[in-house]
Amino acid sequence: MKKTFQIATLLTAMALSAPLLAKTFVYVSEADDGTIARYALDEQSGALQLLGRTQAGGKVMPLALSADHQHLYAAIRSKPLQLVSWQIDRATGDLHQRAEVPATASYPYISTDKQGRFLLGASYDGDVVHVYRLAKDGKVIAPPVGSYKTGHAAHSVIVDDAGKTAYVGNLGTDRVLQLKLNEEGELSALGNGYVKTADENGPRHSVLSPDQRYLYNVGEMGGIITQFRREPSGELVKVSETPNAVAEEFKLQHGRERPAGYSDTTPRIWSADIHLTPNGHFLYVTERTSSTVSGYRVDPHSGKLTLIGSWPVEKQPRSIAITADGKWLIASGEKSAVTGSYAIDAKSGSLKRVSEAPAGKDANWVTVVSN
């Protein structure tokens, strides 16, 4: 009888601890507050719960995860420019053991490779991409070991799954750069070094399909999603262009580059982020002037996009993220007092708003960690 009771007690404890072990955490950088908001996401209902905030030490914007999802990285864009890292407590979502190194430039976008070797930063102001080596304990090592001059306004940098090719959205030149990344972290041109998008589209963020066959880039000023096919070498070939989904509905004029101090009351295209569901079935992009997310079905063979619809989200959505199970989309808004969660319909790809939680000032970058 005693043994039966002990087993029952153990099973009850395991059952009670299971939801905690399966919890998903969401991190949102709050630039004007200099903090990172920490949320718990209920994997069954999509409910968001604010757990607390972590001081970042300045105007914190882009975030990135280490390959093993044990560390969170952030770029501080106020002086002194820094790259900051924390260890993630996978049980509670807390951020611990903060480490800082000087950043060589101001980065609106940072990313890591899947091999856990490097952190890369694209500098809009510096027209450059830098590569920093990561230590075995996950901390960033400065100064950078690799550098590549991009041309005007580098806005993003991502690395393929093999860790051999980097792609840079170069807003000011209407190019997506294609670069070789070697084991030492050095960057060099792949082929002629770039592919073109539409004129004045302003290539911003990019995403690779899960099978690595296609790259999709969204233009900040034109809102056009450009689809490229990847050759075995990693070089890109343009396949198609999908126009902005909400420009006509909201009577948006063509966008303009927006340097510091930009002021214009004309409603203009101002696209920002782009993400695919982990299974590659659906693609989503944000548009800040209309405060919408547009969704597309991805053809499994050709990679072609078909519009599903557009949905209102948080005001001026700079960033979105999708959970590892593909069930939930999280959206932040630079001018929103809340961060929102949205259910992704597994069949149609449509979005349904299910929850919100308080957000700080200028909430911009969203990162999700699942156990």
Side-chain angles (χ1 to χ4, degrees):
M1 186 72 176
K2 183 177 180 181
K3 186 176 182 180
T4 302
F5 176 77
Q6 289 175 334
I7 293 173
T9 301
L10 177 61
L11 291 174
T12 300
M14 291 173 65
L16 290 172
S17 65
L20 184 62
L21 293 175
K23 190 172 289 183
T24 292
F25 299 107
V26 177
Y27 301 95
V28 177
S29 58
E30 300 168 328
D32 286 351
D33 289 339
T35 53
I36 296 174
R38 309 186 310 275
Y39 303 90
L41 175 72
D42 187 297
E43 295 179 347
Q44 300 304 312
S45 68
L48 275 177
Q49 177 189 359
L50 179 64
L51 300 175
R53 291 184 163 89
T54 299
Q55 290 293 327
K59 190 178 181 68
V60 57
M61 297 187 72
L63 304 175
L65 284 174
S66 60
D68 61 7
H69 290 190
Q70 299 299 315
H71 295 86
L72 181 72
Y73 303 103
I76 305 300
R77 301 192 67 193
S78 56
K79 292 183 179 180
L81 303 174
Q82 293 178 320
L83 291 168
V84 184
S85 60
W86 295 266
Q87 187 170 5
I88 299 171
D89 186 321
R90 300 295 293 273
T92 66
D94 288 349
L95 300 176
H96 299 298
Q97 298 179 358
R98 171 175 161 176
E100 306 167 357
V101 297
T104 305
S106 174
Y107 305 118
Y109 196 107
I110 58 174
S111 61
T112 59
D113 67 338
K114 291 187 180 298
Q115 290 68 37
R117 303 166 302 171
F118 306 117
L119 179 143
L120 298 87
S123 177
Y124 184 100
D125 304 319
D127 306 333
V128 69
V129 169
H130 287 137
V131 183
Y132 293 81
R133 189 170 292 280
L134 295 173
K136 289 183 179 180
D137 64 1
K139 294 178 182 177
V140 182
I141 301 173
V145 294
S147 179
Y148 190 90
K149 290 298 290 183
T150 59
H152 179 51
H155 218 312
S156 65
V157 55
I158 60 173
V159 180
D160 71 334
D161 283 358
K164 295 182 178 180
T165 311
Y167 301 100
V168 179
N170 212 144
L171 183 146
T173 62
D174 294 319
R175 295 176 175 180
V176 175
L177 307 188
Q178 50 190 29
L179 307 174
K180 291 184 285 187
L181 174 65
N182 68 19
E183 290 293 330
E184 287 70 46
E186 297 167 332
L187 294 168
S188 59
L190 174 63
N192 68 357
Y194 68 89
V195 285
K196 288 280 292 180
T197 67
D199 290 344
E200 298 184 359
N201 191 39
R204 185 176 165 94
H205 291 182
S206 300
V207 64
L208 284 162
S209 60
D211 60 13
Q212 304 289 282
R213 290 192 300 153
Y214 299 106
L215 180 143
Y216 301 88
N217 175 274
V218 64
E220 176 174 317
M221 299 180 295
I224 297 169
I225 303 170
T226 309
Q227 177 192 353
F228 297 96
R229 183 182 70 251
R230 291 184 74 231
E231 298 293 284
S233 65
E235 293 182 65
L236 301 176
V237 178
K238 186 189 291 188
V239 175
S240 65
E241 296 176 333
T242 302
N244 185 286
V246 295
E248 184 176 352
E249 178 185 355
F250 289 89
K251 297 179 173 57
L252 303 181
Q253 301 300 308
H254 197 281
R256 291 180 177 174
E257 190 175 339
R258 301 185 182 219
Y262 173 88
S263 178
D264 184 357
T265 58
T266 303
R268 296 188 183 278
I269 296 170
W270 197 20
S271 298
D273 209 2
I274 182 168
H275 285 279
L276 281 158
T277 52
N279 61 13
H281 292 178
F282 306 113
L283 179 146
Y284 300 91
V285 297
T286 69
E287 202 291 311
R288 284 175 284 184
T289 301
S290 60
S291 295
T292 57
V293 167
S294 297
Y296 300 83
R297 183 180 297 276
V298 182
D299 185 276
H301 303 293
S302 67
K304 182 180 178 181
L305 303 180
T306 301
L307 181 66
I308 301 166
S310 300
W311 303 272
V313 294
E314 279 54 45
K315 188 172 183 180
Q316 205 166 294
R318 183 185 180 95
S319 180
I320 54 175
I322 297 171
T323 56
D325 59 10
K327 291 174 59 176
W328 311 105
L329 181 147
I330 313 300
S332 70
E334 293 172 299
K335 293 186 177 181
S336 174
V338 297
T339 295
S341 61
Y342 298 78
I344 300 174
D345 188 284
K347 292 184 178 179
S348 69
S350 62
L351 299 182
K352 179 182 178 181
R353 196 168 195 272
V354 295
S355 182
E356 66 180 43
K361 296 178 182 178
D362 194 9
N364 59 91
W365 204 275
V366 184
T367 299
V368 175
V369 181
S370 297
N371 289 329

